[in-house]
Structures are given as structure tokens and as C-alpha cells.
Amino acid sequence: MSQRYDVAVIGTGVFGAWTAHFLDKAGKRVVLIDAHGPANSRSSSGDESRITRLAYGDDELYSRWALESLPEWLALEQRSYQQLFHQTGVLTFSDDATQWVQKSVEVIRRIGGECELLSVGELSRRFPQIQFKPTESAVFEPNSGALMARRAVQLLVEELIRDGVEYRQQSISAPVISNSIDIDADQYVFACGPWLPKLFPDLLANYITPVRAEVFFLGTSPSTRQYDPPQMPTWIFMGDENWDAYGIPDIENRGFKLAVDLIKQPADPDTMDRQPTAPYVAQMRDFVRDRFPGLANAPIVETRVCQYENTRTHNYLVDQHPQMKNIWLVGGGSGHGFKNGPALGKYVAGLLTRQSPLEPLLKLP
């Protein structure tokens, strides 16, 4: 007889791995499946580092989930005896006209997080290596920082396997109503990141759009430490609604990491050439000259090309398939989902085990 499971989780990125973790803790028999392996180089969880922060404007759900998730990351760090979190602090700055900083501060303080509201004068004194505009302000979170993404996901999956969760490296074809999936389970969680619209094109092709992201690591001078923590925090620039930029200081000797999300090019996780391109390099250099003039001539020492799987609203997606009620769709990280993996995984597990109510913000339109 074939093996039967309570839940099959397809995808071993951050959403799938943490969902499997909480399902396992709830006593469910779980099989975890991935075509390319945990946090592989094609996945959205496959880069070295990701930011964890509370600042989200007035999107309180994501701020609360980030606050709830960090203790889970720290617990995984303690269990694995490997450093997974670097408390660099996170500085998020924006033009005052957006009110994004002020809304973030209000929410963070309301949910019990710690932050500072900094004027442009205070910013220039504390972070002279960054050039700020006269109309900008920032929120600084001293307890936030960077997560070691690939390492954390792979350690979590290794822990799941030790705990008895079965792992299979295989491809799963798109399910159809008249033909069951070739894994026998009561429920299925498809947490496939940029592959979701390929598996469910009729439902998601116009809702989730994978977009190319090019990430650069710049070499800093050994004679100065102003781009290393604690002098340099992890940082985010919130531009208008169409783009932003972010970076992580030189941790684990990788260089000064940054990306500028201004160009929007489609991405295919299977066929995309993952080499940097001239337009992305040019926009990165322009941003660095404007904001980090001391790094204007810094060499590129490493690159990464990945993708965001953006939903139309940039909210995550957690919902049942409208025709196949034992199939759950979990994804749409939209470039900001990694930090919230533990809280989202706990939420999904609650939906499957306790029939918890669905969060309207995350449902299909």
C-alpha cells in the first residue's frame, strides 16, 4: 500500500519549511517535497541574507508577524548552534510626504516594539556615511537586523527530517480536479514561490508576477569600518509606491550588500539567466553615488540574481483553491516575506488543524 500523509507540503522555502514545522508540532504526518532542494539557488529563499524589521507603514499584520517571528528564528539558532541572526539594527528612511516613517513608528510602538524616530539632522550626525535629503526622516529599530537565509532554511529542514518528517526531492505536476496528485495526502500546501503561477496558471498567472531582482555586494576598504556593523545598520529606502532600495552591512565578510528595485523585468525561475545585467548595474551605481558616495568606486565582489513573486497588492497569498478545497495556496512573498516565515507557517498550520479563520488581507481577490 502507498504511504498516506495528513499533509503534503510542496516547496521547501521559508513558507513551506515553517508550515511543515508547525504541522509537525501539531502531530500531523507530513511529507515535505521540493524539486531542487531546500533554499536552492533558484528559489526566493536561496540568497545568503534577508532583512527582518518591524517597520511596515500602517500594515500592522506584517509588523506583528515580524515581532512574533524573531523569537522563533532565535530559537532555531539556539537549537542549531549556528548564528542565524545579526542584530545590526535596521534604519528605514523615506520622504516625509509619504508619512511612511511616522505610520511605522506609531504601529511599532502600539504592538510593543522598540524604535526611534530620527530627523534628518539626527540622521546626518549618526550616519554620516549616508547622504539624506532635507525632507527625509527615518525609523531606527535597534533590535532588528539580518537573517542568514539559506543557512536558516536548510537547518530547519534538516531538523524536520531528524524529527521524522519525510523529505522527497521530486517534481510535482499541476493538480487538476479530475486527477489526483501522485502523493497520497488528505491536504496539500503548495508553497512554491515563483512556481505557483506556473502550476496554477488559470488562477494565478494574472495575480502573481515573478520579477527579476539583481543584488550586489561591494568590497569595502580594510582601512575603514564605517560600512560594517555597528557603525552601519541594515537599511531600507522607501521610495514612492513603485520602487525602493535596501542593503545589509558587511557581515560574514561578504561585502556591502544592496539592491535597487526600480527596473521591473519578468523572471522565470527555471530558465532565467542569473548573471547581472548592465541596466541593473547602472541603476545601482547611480544610487550608490547619490546615497553612499564613499562607495562610488567600490568593486563588485559578488552578485546574486533572484526573483520576487509579487502579488498585485504585494500582500502574501494564503487561501484555499476555489475548486479543490484540500489544496492550499501559500506564497506571494513579494520581496518581504522571509522574515515572517515562522508566523505565517504557524498561521497556515492553524488553518489546517484548527480551522482558524482566514485573514482577509491574504485571500484571493
Side-chain angles (χ1 to χ4, degrees):
M1 294 180 64
S2 62
Q3 186 74 43
R4 185 167 182 83
Y5 304 92
D6 295 319
V7 186
V9 179
I10 298 95
T12 57
V14 67
F15 286 177
W18 279 107
T19 296
H21 169 84
F22 285 106
L23 287 169
D24 179 55
K25 296 304 178 189
K28 297 300 180 181
R29 187 172 182 84
V30 180
V31 59
L32 191 55
I33 305 159
D34 198 289
H36 303 290
N40 64 81
S41 60
R42 290 172 169 162
S43 72
S44 297
S45 297
D47 194 6
E48 300 304 320
S49 53
R50 290 288 185 273
I51 297 172
T52 179
R53 41 100 177 183
L54 302 177
Y56 262 100
D58 54 7
D59 290 334
E60 184 172 327
L61 173 68
Y62 297 131
S63 298
R64 284 193 285 105
W65 275 9
L67 190 65
E68 294 168 11
S69 291
L70 185 54
E72 295 288 349
W73 289 116
L74 295 176
L76 177 62
E77 178 180 77
Q78 187 174 30
R79 295 194 304 269
S80 64
Y81 300 100
Q82 294 196 43
Q83 185 170 10
L84 302 178
F85 173 63
H86 291 264
Q87 188 178 336
T88 63
V90 174
L91 181 76
T92 307
F93 57 100
S94 181
D95 193 282
D96 285 336
T98 69
Q99 287 295 296
W100 196 92
V101 165
Q102 291 76 10
K103 292 175 182 176
S104 296
V105 169
E106 181 181 340
V107 169
I108 292 170
R109 289 174 175 169
R110 185 165 64 240
I111 66 174
E114 184 177 346
C115 69
E116 299 176 65
L117 175 62
L118 301 178
S119 67
V120 68
E122 293 169 311
L123 289 168
S124 297
R125 286 192 295 273
R126 288 177 60 171
F127 308 106
Q129 64 275 62
I130 308 175
Q131 296 296 303
F132 299 98
K133 310 298 183 184
T135 57
E136 291 175 342
S137 59
V139 52
F140 179 68
E141 305 170 35
N143 299 325
S144 296
L147 296 163
M148 304 313 294
R150 183 204 310 273
R151 184 187 309 158
V153 170
Q154 291 177 344
L155 287 169
L156 179 58
V157 173
E158 290 172 9
E159 179 182 72
L160 288 168
I161 294 169
R162 288 196 303 271
D163 288 347
V165 171
E166 184 175 341
Y167 170 71
R168 299 187 189 183
Q169 189 157 328
Q170 68 179 81
S171 296
I172 298 293
S173 58
V176 294
I177 297 172
S178 60
N179 184 24
S180 63
I181 306 167
D182 57 357
I183 297 291
D184 192 9
D186 294 330
Q187 298 189 84
Y188 302 86
V189 175
F190 280 81
C192 306
W195 286 274
L196 271 175
K198 301 182 79 170
L199 285 168
F200 301 92
D202 293 343
L203 185 63
L204 298 178
N206 294 320
Y207 186 68
I208 296 179
T209 304
V211 175
R212 184 181 181 92
E214 297 193 9
V215 181
F216 301 89
F217 294 78
L218 301 182
T220 58
S221 171
S223 62
T224 178
R225 297 299 178 195
Q226 62 178 331
Y227 300 104
D228 301 349
Q231 293 92 331
M232 172 62 72
T234 294
W235 57 272
I236 303 169
F237 168 67
M238 297 298 297
D240 59 28
E241 62 182 11
N242 295 316
W243 76 284
D244 58 358
Y246 62 89
I248 296 175
D250 189 351
I251 57 176
E252 300 196 1
N253 308 312
R254 303 308 291 266
F256 181 86
K257 176 182 178 178
L258 78 155
V260 182
D261 295 331
L262 182 57
I263 299 173
K264 307 295 183 185
Q265 291 186 356
D268 187 309
D270 292 312
T271 63
M272 181 170 61
D273 187 344
R274 296 177 186 269
Q275 293 293 321
T277 58
Y280 281 86
V281 173
Q283 74 167 6
M284 179 274 291
R285 289 295 191 189
D286 287 343
F287 185 86
V288 169
R289 279 192 293 269
D290 186 37
R291 295 295 191 161
F292 300 92
L295 293 174
N297 298 315
I300 297 173
V301 295
E302 188 176 340
T303 61
R304 291 282 303 172
V305 177
C306 54
Q307 65 279 315
Y308 310 130
E309 58 274 7
N310 292 335
T311 64
R312 287 203 300 263
T313 62
H314 289 267
N315 291 314
Y316 311 150
L317 168 64
V318 180
D319 205 349
Q320 285 176 294
H321 192 286
Q323 282 81 45
M324 295 174 278
K325 296 301 184 180
N326 67 334
I327 288 179
W328 291 83
L329 307 171
V330 177
S334 302
H336 66 99
F338 192 93
K339 71 184 77 61
N340 287 336
L344 182 139
K346 187 175 184 179
Y347 165 70
V348 175
L351 293 174
L352 272 66
T353 61
R354 301 190 303 275
Q355 290 76 52
S356 302
L358 279 165
E359 166 58 55
L361 190 69
L362 310 184
K363 294 178 65 175
L364 283 165

